[in-house]
Amino acid sequence: DQQVKQNSPSLSVQEGRISILNCDYTNSMFDYFLWYKKYPAEGPTFLISISSIKDKNEDGRFTVFLNKSAKHLSLHIVPSQPGDSAVYFCAANPDYGQNFVFGPGTRLSVLP
Amino acid sequence: DTEVTQTPKHLVMGMTNKKSLKCEQHMGHRAMYWYKQKAKKPPELMFVYSYEKLSINESVPSRFSPECPNSSLLNLHLHALQPEDSALYLCASSQDGNSYNSPLHFGNGTRLTVT
């Protein structure tokens, strides 16, 4: 049973517009959430994270929103750039532990 | 450049071979991880070392044997693997793995093919 879900396998966005990637989770013990970006033949790169005590965290072009009651988080990228084209993984961690669980990923394509 | 270094980048081995994957980090992190990633799937946790002690083993078959010689190094010893073990093996580290705001930092992985 998937504890972290990313229901959109792929997303295409025009350069300069907003990209919104979504993630849902089922385990109410998760309290630390992260987004990673992965290019082919490379390991995942950490982008941004959020603790369950917050509902928003912003870092440059990247903003993560957390809705605990809905068990939903999203990553906003504004403005989107062609270099943002990659697979994005949502990850979650229970009780600040070590068992990071990853979603299946969403492939983002930013079109020039 | 990634701050977690994995060697080799590619490895082809037969089912009777013994080989090792190596991982090194110099960020002062005290938790190190092995993940396995199959094509078009998310990374799956295999092992976690915290302060050089094995803290998590996700029911991984004994043909995979982890080792943490010191806080900067992590090895994965492979023996008698099966073709279905072919995957990208990712090493990661985190500050200490038991506190808030301690994300994983990944290496670029070893692409393993078992023939």
Side-chain angles (χ1 to χ4, degrees):
Chain A
D1 183 31
Q2 262 188 347
Q3 298 185 72
V4 179
K5 303 176 184 180
Q6 294 176 256
N7 292 323
S8 298
S10 62
L11 174 69
S12 292
V13 170
Q14 210 67 35
E15 181 179 5
R17 306 295 292 267
I18 184 172
S19 296
I20 300 176
L21 298 106
N22 293 304
C23 177
D24 297 287
Y25 61 95
T26 57
N27 188 341
S28 58
M29 299 299 291
F30 288 149
D31 51 18
Y32 180 44
F33 304 89
L34 311 92
W35 284 95
Y36 284 83
K37 176 171 74 173
K38 187 178 186 301
Y39 295 121
E42 293 185 10
T45 301
F46 170 68
L47 281 176
I48 192 168
S49 64
I50 188 167
S51 162
S52 58
I53 62 174
K54 294 187 172 183
D55 55 18
K56 176 183 174 181
N57 189 24
E58 192 171 353
D59 184 1
R61 296 188 298 116
F62 302 94
T63 303
V64 56
F65 296 91
L66 175 63
N67 182 333
K68 277 184 63 179
S69 59
K71 294 192 178 68
H72 176 84
L73 64 157
S74 60
L75 174 69
H76 293 209
I77 306 174
V78 182
S80 300
Q81 300 172 353
D84 295 329
S85 297
V87 177
Y88 287 78
F89 290 100
C90 172
N93 189 335
D95 294 335
Y96 306 130
Q98 298 170 326
N99 193 349
F100 291 83
V101 179
F102 285 78
T106 296
R107 180 174 299 280
L108 173 66
S109 299
V110 180
L111 309 172
Chain B
D1 285 340
T2 180
E3 294 177 88
V4 178
T5 304
Q6 291 187 244
T7 56
K9 290 186 179 179
H10 300 275
L11 178 63
V12 179
M13 61 184 290
M15 289 189 284
T16 58
N17 290 160
K18 283 186 182 180
K19 296 286 185 183
S20 297
L21 309 184
K22 297 186 182 301
C23 176
E24 189 170 4
Q25 58 89 12
H26 292 289
M27 294 180 281
H29 289 174
R30 303 311 302 267
M32 295 188 76
Y33 306 71
W34 281 114
Y35 277 82
K36 173 181 175 180
Q37 186 176 23
K38 302 279 272 186
K40 300 190 188 303
K41 297 288 187 182
E44 292 182 0
L45 182 65
M46 299 175 71
F47 301 104
V48 182
Y49 274 84
S50 183
Y51 293 88
E52 300 161 46
K53 289 189 180 351
L54 184 65
S55 58
I56 295 179
N57 176 344
E58 289 290 290
S59 302
V60 179
S62 60
R63 58 185 184 269
F64 295 91
S65 176
E67 179 196 18
C68 188
N70 60 55
S71 60
S72 299
L73 294 174
L74 185 66
N75 299 322
L76 186 63
H77 303 297
L78 313 172
H79 174 53
L81 294 194
Q82 304 296 313
E84 59 264 29
D85 296 322
S86 299
L88 180 68
Y89 287 84
L90 292 161
C91 175
S93 68
S94 67
Q95 197 163 350
D96 61 20
N98 279 310
S99 63
Y100 162 59
N101 206 24
S102 182
L104 294 176
H105 296 264
F106 284 92
N108 283 333
T110 294
R111 174 73 58 191
L112 174 67
T113 303
V114 182
T115 60

